[in-house]
Amino acid sequence: MGNEFQVRERFAAGAQYIGGQLRRGTSGRDQEVVNPATGETVLRYELASTDDVDAAVAAAREAFPGWSGLSPAERSDALHRFASVLADQAEDFAHAESLQCGKPLKLSTEFDVPGTVDNAAFFAGAARHLEGRSAGEYSGDHTSYVRREPIGVVGSIAPWNYPLQMAAWKILPAVAAGNTIVLKPAEITPLTSLMFAQAATEAGIPEGVINIVSGAGRDAGEHLVGHPDVVMTSFTGSTAVGKRVAEIATSTVKRLHLELGGKAPFLVFDDADLDAAVNGAVAASLINTGQDCTAATRAYVQRPLYDAFVEGVAGLMESVRLGDPFDPSTDLGPLISHQQRDRVAGFVERARAYATVVTGGEAPGGELAEGAYYRPTLIAGAAQDSEVVCSEIFGPVLVVLPFDTDDEGIALANDTPYGLAASAWSRDLYRANRATREIAAGCVWINDHIPIISEMPHGGYKASGFGKDMSSYSFEEYTQVKHVMYDNTAVARKDWHRTVFGDR
């Protein structure tokens, strides 16, 4: 309870961060942040209203001229300081992330927080490399060059599964490029987004550059996306909600970046290292309790390895330790809520009618019964067109299916509306290269599944959205490209004028 009391103390002034200050929401409705491991309330706060969104956008708009007018070196220095502040507060960030999400502390400490610090350090450097095409005389009579300019106020929406990392992915490239931003985190997990914005102010990033509105999607979220002073929207979440975001954004002619759902295939060829594939499948399907849009969800295993793979994965899943997220020995924490746990359980229960639940498929009892826990689950024998193969479950559930030929395996991997991530497992260079070419996904791993790095882009194909997070490619989302052209002839009457008046 002491740790939860500290959270309440920290956000006693409210859970909106506007113009460099915490303030209370004005919607008249309260929201609870609940520890999903215990069901206990961590924080109760007032949700943002549309007026709060307006105030945040106004603060961002006011800060834009000053922030965008800084030199790249000045923005870079500020972001380097920001990365340092984040590193100094790493323990607090890890604790808050585990408290609101139920993540094992070792995941928050070793993955979420260091990844965010590294992201800040990367964009601190990238801020000085906003390059356009080199100057040249492409017409013969003119010199052309390209300017990359910030676009203005960005309104972004982040999900609940990786609140800290998603805040960083939205905020850092936007502000590194000279924009200001209003971020709406998921209302059930606002803590680390608020702490992130506070850390930016501590690092000397001007007030109003980074603003947080903690509100409901249908109110604060939709108002932010449709706001006339917001020039771009970046959204990470489900494909269904992404479609609604797109409708609102396109009606106001906003730039749009979407990172949506996934149903990642895990393709194991018959020459793969079986032990590596088994270990990789369990880790990749259970990371963040399976609440990861790049998590392995569909394992396709070539028939000679299929039985051994099923046996190996089931055995390893049964050894995974569920428990208190703050216990160092805990491997798997709860799902984000009891509602999400029940949703996952519903998929598994319906699958029993047409497939085999090899292991798992239940919520634990005993000391964990009060939390939103669900055992690691392996399902076999499902048809390719069945619900558990086609739908995004977003829980600790892996479905395994056999295939015979390489052509069949790649076709099955691609047989989905999604295209965010995938992996292929083989010792054959040519097989692996074919998989990287032919699998339609924004990221394809070979003999691994899940690792991401700041220098490389993250984003999907098809119903998984478009645009890139992280890497220098993200600047494509957050900058305007302007062509500047100078006449070099000093001739008043140009030859092309004859197309409008006179003769040659």
Side-chain angles (χ1 to χ4, degrees):
M1 291 299 294
N3 291 325
E4 294 173 9
F5 178 75
Q6 292 173 20
V7 170
R8 297 186 186 113
E9 288 266 295
R10 179 159 190 162
F11 299 110
Q16 317 301 325
Y17 196 74
I18 299 171
Q21 300 292 327
L22 284 172
R23 62 168 74 175
R24 295 182 184 278
T26 62
S27 69
R29 302 196 313 278
D30 286 353
Q31 172 69 44
E32 290 185 346
V33 178
V34 175
N35 179 350
T38 63
E40 296 177 355
T41 298
V42 173
L43 178 71
R44 180 177 288 106
Y45 71 93
E46 298 86 355
L47 287 164
S49 68
T50 56
D51 289 341
D52 298 320
V53 174
D54 290 342
V57 172
R61 187 178 181 186
E62 182 178 355
F64 176 72
W67 180 248
S68 62
L70 295 179
S71 69
E74 289 171 317
R75 288 199 296 272
S76 176
D77 287 346
L79 289 171
H80 276 298
R81 294 194 303 270
F82 187 20
S84 180
V85 171
L86 292 171
D88 290 344
Q89 298 179 9
E91 186 175 344
D92 289 343
F93 274 100
H95 179 91
E97 195 76 335
S98 288
L99 192 62
Q100 68 180 350
C101 298
K103 296 172 186 282
L105 189 60
K106 65 180 181 181
L107 178 63
S108 296
T109 301
E110 299 177 25
F111 185 77
D112 297 65
V113 174
T116 299
V117 173
D118 184 72
N119 230 232
F122 171 80
F123 280 108
R128 303 185 73 159
H129 296 281
L130 284 167
E131 298 176 347
R133 184 170 294 178
S134 60
E137 287 68 49
Y138 299 101
S139 78
D141 291 337
H142 307 82
T143 295
S144 289
Y145 69 89
V146 169
R147 289 175 55 88
R148 235 181 229 290
E149 297 178 346
I151 58 178
V153 177
V154 177
S156 294
I157 299 176
W160 48 256
N161 58 335
Y162 290 102
L164 177 59
Q165 285 198 309
M166 294 298 100
W169 287 15
K170 301 300 182 195
I171 291 169
L172 291 168
V175 300
N179 302 290
T180 56
I181 189 167
V182 179
L183 175 77
K184 193 200 87 65
E187 59 267 34
I188 59 174
T189 56
L191 303 183
T192 47
S193 298
L194 291 162
M195 292 167 63
F196 191 79
Q198 288 177 307
T201 301
E202 291 176 40
I205 292 177
E207 297 176 355
V209 172
I210 299 172
N211 306 273
I212 308 294
V213 289
S214 305
R218 290 191 178 275
D219 301 319
E222 292 198 2
H223 189 66
L224 178 62
V225 173
H227 199 289
D229 291 333
V230 169
V231 297
M232 174 187 165
T233 291
S234 177
F235 170 81
T236 296
S238 71
T239 297
V241 178
K243 290 177 181 178
R244 174 61 179 158
V245 169
E247 289 174 3
I248 299 170
T250 52
S251 69
T252 53
V253 198
K254 285 180 176 31
R255 183 175 297 191
L256 183 61
H257 168 218
L258 298 174
E259 198 262 89
L260 306 176
K263 191 70 178 174
F266 187 99
L267 185 62
V268 182
F269 292 105
D270 58 13
D271 67 330
D273 181 326
L274 179 62
D275 187 48
V278 166
N279 280 273
V282 173
S285 62
L286 300 186
I287 186 160
N288 204 35
T289 318
Q291 299 166 126
D292 186 315
C293 47
T294 63
T297 60
R298 301 177 292 138
Y300 297 103
V301 183
Q302 207 150 23
R303 208 169 292 274
L305 295 185
Y306 178 80
D307 290 339
F309 179 88
V310 171
E311 181 181 359
V313 168
L316 189 53
M317 279 187 168
E318 289 165 4
S319 74
V320 171
R321 299 164 297 184
L322 280 69
D324 177 0
F326 294 97
D327 185 334
S329 67
T330 292
D331 297 322
L332 198 71
L335 290 145
I336 191 67
S337 66
H338 288 81
Q339 180 182 11
Q340 179 65 13
R341 183 199 63 188
D342 293 345
R343 178 181 180 275
V344 170
F347 277 102
V348 177
E349 290 307 307
R350 291 189 296 274
R352 293 183 191 277
Y354 56 80
T356 300
V357 178
V358 180
T359 190
E362 63 181 3
E367 295 180 354
L368 302 181
E370 295 300 316
Y373 290 90
Y374 198 77
R375 294 195 186 283
T377 300
L378 180 66
I379 296 175
Q384 175 66 13
D385 61 355
S386 62
E387 181 187 47
V388 289
V389 175
C390 297
S391 299
E392 188 174 26
I393 299 173
F394 227 57
V397 179
L398 177 65
V399 185
V400 59
L401 299 90
F403 70 92
D404 292 303
T405 67
D406 289 14
D407 288 349
E408 181 189 8
I410 290 174
L412 289 169
N414 282 331
D415 184 23
T416 175
Y418 301 108
L420 187 59
S423 65
W425 298 73
S426 174
R427 304 181 199 208
D428 186 311
L429 174 65
Y430 297 100
R431 262 179 162 173
N433 276 341
R434 180 189 177 190
T436 65
R437 291 192 309 272
E438 296 187 15
I439 293 177
C443 176
V444 179
W445 292 282
I446 299 298
N447 296 324
D448 207 344
H449 191 119
I450 284 297
I452 53 175
I453 51 176
S454 297
E455 291 84 357
M456 290 290 110
H458 178 83
Y461 287 24
K462 302 188 292 186
S464 292
F466 47 81
K468 300 298 179 185
D469 289 311
M470 300 197 297
S471 81
S472 59
Y473 291 96
S474 64
F475 287 132
E476 302 293 336
E477 317 299 323
Y478 295 101
T479 55
Q480 294 277 20
V481 174
K482 178 186 288 184
H483 170 216
V484 178
M485 190 179 224
Y486 284 91
D487 171 61
N488 293 328
T489 66
V491 174
R493 183 72 175 265
K494 316 294 188 196
D495 185 53
W496 71 267
H497 291 178
R498 74 185 187 280
T499 63
V500 178
F501 56 86
D503 301 318
R504 186 186 293 274

